[in-house]
Amino acid sequence: MPEPGYLRVADTAAALAALTRYGPSARLIAGGTDLVNLIKEGIERPDVLVDIGRLPLDTVRADGDGLWIGALTTMSAAACHPALRSGYPAVAEALELSASPQIRNAATIGGNLLQRTRCPYFRAETKLPCNKRQPGSGCAASAGHDRTLAVIGGSDACRACHPSDLAVALVALDAELTTESPRGSRTLPLARLYLLPGDAPERETVLEPDEIIVAVRVPSSPAAARSGYLKVRERASYEFALVSAAVAVETDGALIRDVRIALGGVAPRPWRLYEVERRLLGRELTEPVVREALASALDEARPLKSNGFKIELARRSTCRALLELRDRGVVRT
Ligand SMILES: Cc1cc2nc3c(=O)[nH]c(=O)nc-3n(C[C@H](O)[C@H](O)[C@H](O)COP(=O)(O)OP(=O)(O)OC[C@H]3O[C@@H](n4cnc5c(N)ncnc54)[C@H](O)[C@@H]3O)c2cc1C
Ligand code: SF4
């Protein structure tokens, strides 16, 4: 395998110029914790690596409207920022429950959102049929182990889950991305970043190859300040989510005024339960009410032979996460 060329850039303009010059076979590299593995496994074969690790996009700041996290902020720096911990605890918890301290010290917010699926067939050292890795080659997972795959939002071409914990928390809190490209800057809701696989699972986001994420903005709200992240995994640490739930609630006395719920580990993108949220509004945050609102959540799921357990697990995890928020009562710092 020929080694890719390497270019370190100092600012966003230089990164964009490099992407324009080298075209779609160039790849941005930030912390490198995912991309380097993908190159080693022969999944990514860039001609040039454009190292953006030193771009001055590594600050976190909060104002009255919300939180601004530079895309080059490391996961660990973001997770310990006081404004993030007090105003957006679901985000801090999702980051702390991700990967290992060593990886979080190197990995960045932008890179985390664009990491690729952990489907074991996609990541296999031996090349196996995989429509995401090699379009049109088939899907080895359809006749294989499907325990970790999606129960909803997939297609016959691909049922891989989205792996980022951070993305689940950010989608629950209605975060937006700001990007830069040679055509200018744009802002888009994170919920609209990820594409469902359909017939083209190799295309995972709406970003263009020459577009750089520069920041994530999370609007402030009482619900964001009273939020949490629950992650269920096969072992206690250093593991991707089997199922996860990011929840946020604002109550008015005993009644729910605002509630947000996003699931991880069930779909090719973070999955918002908008209908459950609607059913909970104006009601009391009690176990019977929450159970009733969740009873038909994911009813439209199409589980595979051994991952149907995720549906009930997702309902129970969401219920537990919401009740834990109620019992915590106050915003934590
Ligand atoms: C053993 C292990 C366990 C892990 N466990 C978890 C876990 O439990 N939960 C979890 O969420 N993650 C987990 N991860 C994934 C880890 O969090 C990601 O590898 C990391 O966040 C990627 O960030 P990075 O900066 O290293 O990205 P890179 O590897 O540098 O880049 C990843 C991708 O993002 C693109 N990119 C990076 N920055 C930008 C930008 N600003 N604009 C546009 N494109 C960009 C790159 O071109 C590349 O395609 C784990 C990883 C490992 C190796
Ligand atoms: S589920 Fe998707 S990523 Fe996994 S083998 Fe099938 S096509 Fe590839």
Side-chain angles (χ1 to χ4, degrees):
M1 182 181 68
E3 295 225 339
Y6 176 82
L7 183 68
R8 176 176 282 156
V9 291
D11 56 34
T12 308
L16 292 177
L19 291 178
T20 305
R21 176 168 174 205
Y22 294 107
S25 74
R27 288 284 178 285
L28 298 173
I29 183 163
T33 61
D34 195 31
L35 186 57
V36 170
N37 285 336
L38 295 171
I39 292 171
K40 280 191 202 154
E41 287 151 4
I43 300 167
E44 293 270 11
R45 296 169 190 273
D47 289 340
V48 181
L49 292 175
V50 180
D51 186 343
I52 54 172
R54 293 195 185 165
L55 261 54
L57 299 172
D58 59 352
T59 48
V60 180
R61 62 173 199 273
D63 57 26
D65 289 340
L67 183 78
W68 176 270
I69 313 173
L72 271 296
T73 311
T74 62
M75 293 169 74
S76 52
C80 67
H81 195 279
L84 192 148
R85 297 185 76 80
S86 60
Y88 314 81
V91 180
E93 289 169 19
L95 286 167
E96 283 177 337
L97 291 169
S98 298
S100 64
Q102 292 89 340
I103 291 170
R104 295 196 297 270
N105 282 341
T108 64
I109 296 298
N112 183 279
L113 297 177
L114 296 183
Q115 64 175 294
R116 303 199 68 190
T117 181
R118 294 283 151 176
C119 171
Y121 300 95
F122 172 80
R123 297 261 172 180
E125 279 177 29
T126 317
K127 231 178 173 187
L128 296 170
C130 173
N131 290 321
K132 195 183 269 303
R133 188 165 165 166
Q134 177 66 48
S137 62
C139 171
S142 60
H145 295 289
D146 54 35
R147 180 174 167 78
T148 59
L149 298 189
V151 292
I152 195 164
S155 67
D156 288 343
C158 178
R159 297 183 182 91
C161 273
H162 178 76
S164 163
D165 292 294
L166 171 68
V168 179
L170 290 176
V171 163
L173 301 186
D174 293 323
E176 295 177 335
L177 290 183
T178 302
T179 69
E180 294 278 352
S181 77
R183 295 164 298 289
S185 74
R186 69 165 166 158
T187 299
L188 74 151
L190 186 62
R192 295 223 313 266
L193 172 69
Y194 301 109
L195 295 167
L196 292 181
D199 294 330
E202 72 280 7
R203 178 120 203 257
E204 292 166 344
T205 74
V206 299
L207 294 188
E208 299 297 335
D210 59 356
E211 201 166 2
I212 301 179
I213 301 175
V214 293
V216 174
R217 200 187 75 82
V218 199
S220 67
S221 68
R226 198 178 176 197
S227 62
Y229 188 70
L230 189 151
K231 179 172 178 178
V232 180
R233 45 190 164 173
E234 299 276 15
R235 52 184 186 187
S237 70
Y238 204 39
E239 183 61 287
F240 288 85
L242 207 46
V243 160
S244 67
V247 294
V249 179
E250 180 194 1
T251 47
D252 181 2
L255 303 182
I256 297 172
R257 186 207 289 262
D258 184 10
V259 57
R260 331 267 182 81
I261 304 166
L263 298 177
V266 298
R269 67 181 177 207
W271 201 258
R272 270 290 282 265
L273 294 184
Y274 291 109
E275 180 57 25
V276 176
E277 294 172 8
R278 199 190 54 73
R279 274 192 232 129
L280 284 170
L281 285 181
R283 305 193 62 196
E284 280 192 56
L285 185 51
T286 63
E287 185 165 347
V289 167
V290 173
R291 277 186 184 278
E292 183 198 314
L294 283 163
S296 54
L298 300 180
D299 263 2
E300 64 282 35
R302 286 176 51 224
L304 301 161
K305 57 184 182 307
S306 57
N307 68 353
F309 72 94
K310 284 190 175 186
I311 297 170
E312 186 56 20
L313 185 59
R315 290 178 187 146
R316 290 182 188 212
S317 302
T318 306
C319 182
R320 198 176 117 199
L322 284 167
L323 296 177
E324 278 181 4
L325 271 193
R326 176 199 64 185
D327 296 342
R328 285 174 188 173
V330 292
V331 176
R332 288 149 308 137
T333 54

